Amino acid sequence: MKILSSKFNLAKLLDADQQVVMSFVNLYSVGQVLKMQALNKVVIYSGDGFLLNVLLGMIYFKKVERISFDFTSIADCVISKALKEKREIIFVGGKANESEDFKRKIKGKYSSLKIKCMHGYVFDEQYDDVIKRLSCSDAGYIVAGMGGGLQEKFISDLYHQGFKGHLFTCGGFISQTAMSESEVYYPKMIDKFNLRAFYRMYREPHTIKRYCIDYPRNALLVIKTAIVEKEKIVIV
C-alpha cells in the first residue's frame, strides 16, 4: 500500500490532470486494508491517526502527517475544490437520517454546492446496480464512508467500472457531522492535542473495543509486515 506522507502531496495530486483514488486508514482499518492486495494497487492511502503515523515514522524513519477526510484536515479543501469547479460531489455513508442531516449541514456551509447524499448500507441492497449507476455519473467526486475494507472495495469497484471523477473514503465523517452540533465533530483542543481517539470513545462507546483490542493487534501486524514484507507499505 502506498501511503502519502503530507498534505502537500495530496494537493499536487488534485491539481494534476489525473484521477485520485484515495483512502484514509488508522490502526483499526489498516488491518483490513493490508489483506486486500488487489485494492492496494489502485488506492492511495494516508495515515488518519496519530498512533499509526507515529508507528510508521518509527519504522520508516520518515515523518508521516495526519491526513483525514474531516474538517480538521482536508474535507474543506476537497469540497471547496468541487465548489470552485462547479462539479457535483456525491457522499455515500451513514444511515438514511444521518445522510439527510449531513446534507443539510453541508448545504448550510456551502450553499451553492452541487451535492447528493445516499445512505451507506448499499451492501444490503442491489450493490452491483448501485455501482453501475454511480459509475455512469458525471459527478466530479464521490466520497464513501462505510467502515474499513467496505469503503475501499466500494471506491475500487467504482474505479474499475469506469467512474472518471475523484474517489475518496471518509470513515465516520458523515455520521459524525450529522451528530455534531456544528459541522465540526472534534473540539479544537481535542484536535490540537491529538486526543481524538479518547473523544470518540466518549461520544461513540462502540469504538472502545477497536482502540483496546484491534489497535494493539494491528500495530503488531504493521510491524510484522514492515519487517517481513516491507514492500507492502511504501511511504511517498
Side-chain angles (χ1 to χ4, degrees):
M1 59 189 298
K2 187 180 294 184
I3 299 179
L4 290 186
S5 61
S6 71
K7 295 177 185 176
F8 174 72
N9 291 340
L10 174 59
K12 287 175 63 178
L13 285 173
L14 286 173
D15 288 337
D17 187 21
Q18 65 183 50
Q19 185 179 23
V20 175
V21 184
M22 188 171 182
S23 187
F24 309 86
V25 291
N26 54 33
L27 272 177
Y28 173 70
S29 58
V30 72
Q32 290 94 323
V33 168
L34 280 172
K35 299 173 185 176
M36 307 171 82
Q37 289 302 301
L39 303 189
N40 295 340
K41 297 177 182 178
V42 172
V43 183
I44 297 173
Y45 297 89
S46 73
D48 170 18
F50 175 74
L51 294 176
L52 175 61
N53 292 350
V54 169
L55 180 61
L56 291 172
M58 292 173 63
I59 294 172
Y60 292 93
F61 302 102
K62 191 170 185 177
K63 183 178 180 180
V64 181
E65 182 180 358
R66 174 182 175 262
I67 312 175
S68 176
F69 202 103
D70 62 24
F71 285 119
T72 67
S73 189
I74 68 156
D76 178 70
C77 172
V78 174
I79 296 172
S80 295
K81 190 168 179 63
L83 186 61
K84 182 179 179 180
E85 295 171 349
K86 297 181 180 180
R87 301 292 303 278
E88 183 178 58
I89 184 167
I90 300 174
F91 286 91
V92 184
K95 300 175 182 177
N97 63 313
E98 292 173 335
S99 178
E100 293 170 4
D101 289 342
F102 172 81
K103 181 177 181 180
R104 175 177 52 80
K105 288 184 177 178
I106 296 300
K107 285 294 288 184
K109 185 176 177 66
Y110 309 92
S111 59
S112 58
L113 179 69
K114 297 179 180 178
I115 180 175
K116 286 183 181 177
C117 297
M118 58 184 292
H119 67 77
Y121 291 83
V122 297
F123 287 88
D124 296 335
E125 300 177 354
Q126 300 298 317
Y127 179 76
D128 291 341
D129 291 342
V130 172
I131 290 294
K132 184 176 180 180
R133 175 161 50 87
L134 289 179
S135 66
C136 295
S137 168
D138 60 357
Y141 301 78
I142 294 179
V143 183
M146 303 168 177
L150 295 178
Q151 58 190 10
E152 284 79 17
K153 171 177 169 52
F154 186 72
I155 64 171
S156 178
D157 288 345
L158 285 171
Y159 171 83
H160 286 298
Q161 284 294 315
F163 179 71
K164 301 302 182 184
H166 298 309
L167 290 157
F168 292 93
T169 67
C170 65
F173 174 62
I174 294 170
S175 297
Q176 290 171 356
T177 301
M179 69 188 292
S180 62
E181 293 183 5
S182 65
E183 72 277 359
V184 180
Y185 181 71
Y186 295 107
K188 288 184 179 180
M189 296 302 289
I190 294 292
D191 182 55
K192 180 179 180 179
F193 291 103
N194 293 307
L195 299 173
R196 290 174 294 271
F198 296 101
Y199 186 74
R200 283 202 71 186
M201 283 190 279
Y202 165 69
R203 291 290 303 272
E204 304 172 61
H206 70 274
T207 63
I208 293 174
K209 173 185 173 293
R210 72 176 61 170
Y211 289 117
C212 296
I213 298 176
D214 296 316
Y215 266 45
R217 181 171 56 198
N218 288 334
L220 292 175
L221 176 62
V222 170
I223 294 170
K224 178 183 176 182
T225 301
I227 294 173
V228 180
E229 302 173 273
K230 196 168 185 177
E231 71 279 358
K232 277 191 176 182
I233 302 177
V234 180
I235 311 296
V236 297

